[in-house]
């Protein structure tokens, strides 16, 4: 599955690619960064738990979408935990267990059933990807610190290089 993932990464829009580079370059250890150098310093770093299983599962179907989904999760995690220099030694675990075995199509089609994906802060060091009914969102967002994950097909159609829904890379 590595070749399709590399090809998918190279075909991403610059903003998606840079999000993945920046966030995956942070190690959670002060002064330690992975190559290529990221465009920002600080923390916290994010550990996307089950991300290898998620990418391996989705790479067969649509590696581009798998990476776009990871980039969106990183973006929303960064909204919950803004980059701060004093948090360079801090790591937040982002649990992907709810989506690790799903296809990208099933993930993106959730909204058609009146549901949405959320990134919900569970503690100072953890958050989890959860699904929620759209009608329950207002009360849920009042009670929990959360961000909506924009994982619906129309978002990606507008923002891909070809202006089409990306296909699998074989």
């Amino acid at each position: 599955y590595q070749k399709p993932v590399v090809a998918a990464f190279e075909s991403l829009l610059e903003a998606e690619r840079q999000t993945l580079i920046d966030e995956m370059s942070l190690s959670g250890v002060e002064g330690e960064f992975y190559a290529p150098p990221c465009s920002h310093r600080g923390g916290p770093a994010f550990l996307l738990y089950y991300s290898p299983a998620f990418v391996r599962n989705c790479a067969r179907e649509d590696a581009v979408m798998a990476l776009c989904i990871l980039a969106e999760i990183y973006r929303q995690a960064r909204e919950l935990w803004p980059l701060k220099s004093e948090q360079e030694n801090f790591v937040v675990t982002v649990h992907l267990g709810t989506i690790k075995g799903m296809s990208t199509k099933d993930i993106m089609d959730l909204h058609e059933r009146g549901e949405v994906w959320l990134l919900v802060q569970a503690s100072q060091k953890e958050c989890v990807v959860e699904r929620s009914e759209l009608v329950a969102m207002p009360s849920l967002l009042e009670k929990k610190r959360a961000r909506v994950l924009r994982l619906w097909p129309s978002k990606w159609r507008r923002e891909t290089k070809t202006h089409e829904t990306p296909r699998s890379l074989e």
Side-chain angles (χ1 to χ4, degrees):
Y1 78 95
Q2 291 175 348
K3 286 181 183 178
V5 174
V6 171
F9 179 78
E10 291 170 353
S11 74
L12 291 173
L13 288 174
E14 181 61 27
E16 302 292 322
R17 198 170 41 252
Q18 195 61 49
T19 295
L20 293 173
I21 289 170
D22 288 346
E23 297 300 345
M24 292 178 153
S25 293
L26 298 176
S27 69
V29 177
E30 188 173 352
E32 180 179 283
F33 302 94
Y34 296 105
C38 61
S39 64
H40 58 253
R41 298 278 192 256
F46 298 115
L47 169 64
L48 273 58
Y49 201 75
Y50 291 124
S51 62
F54 171 75
V55 172
R56 189 172 30 256
N57 177 57
C58 292
R60 291 177 291 233
E61 175 199 359
D62 196 334
V64 172
M65 289 287 44
L67 295 179
C68 287
I69 289 169
L70 288 183
E72 175 65 5
I73 292 169
Y74 275 120
R75 268 193 299 278
Q76 297 311 321
R78 186 57 65 207
E79 289 294 320
L80 290 171
W81 283 275
L83 196 65
K84 295 180 181 175
S85 60
E86 65 271 12
Q87 290 192 339
E88 192 171 344
N89 278 328
F90 193 68
V91 176
V92 171
T93 302
V94 181
H95 295 277
L96 305 183
T98 54
I99 63 169
K100 74 174 180 177
M102 296 180 71
S103 71
T104 55
K105 180 181 181 339
D106 288 342
I107 291 167
M108 293 190 308
D109 287 349
L110 189 74
H111 74 284
E112 292 178 4
R113 295 187 299 273
E115 295 179 275
V116 67
W117 291 106
L118 299 172
L119 188 61
V120 179
Q121 184 175 346
S123 71
Q124 291 299 318
K125 294 184 175 187
E126 292 184 310
C127 62
V128 62
V129 174
E130 292 182 3
R131 58 197 297 172
S132 174
E133 292 183 358
L134 285 169
V135 296
M137 273 187 48
S139 62
L140 183 127
L141 292 176
E142 285 177 11
K143 297 174 191 170
K144 296 182 179 183
R145 189 167 146 85
R147 300 285 303 179
V148 173
L149 294 170
R150 299 179 312 148
L151 303 177
W152 43 82
S154 61
K155 174 193 179 351
W156 307 110
R157 268 191 222 109
R158 285 193 308 272
E159 296 179 7
T160 58
K161 286 182 179 178
T162 61
H163 301 290
E164 298 172 3
T165 302
R167 294 178 299 279
S168 270
L169 298 172
E170 312 258 18

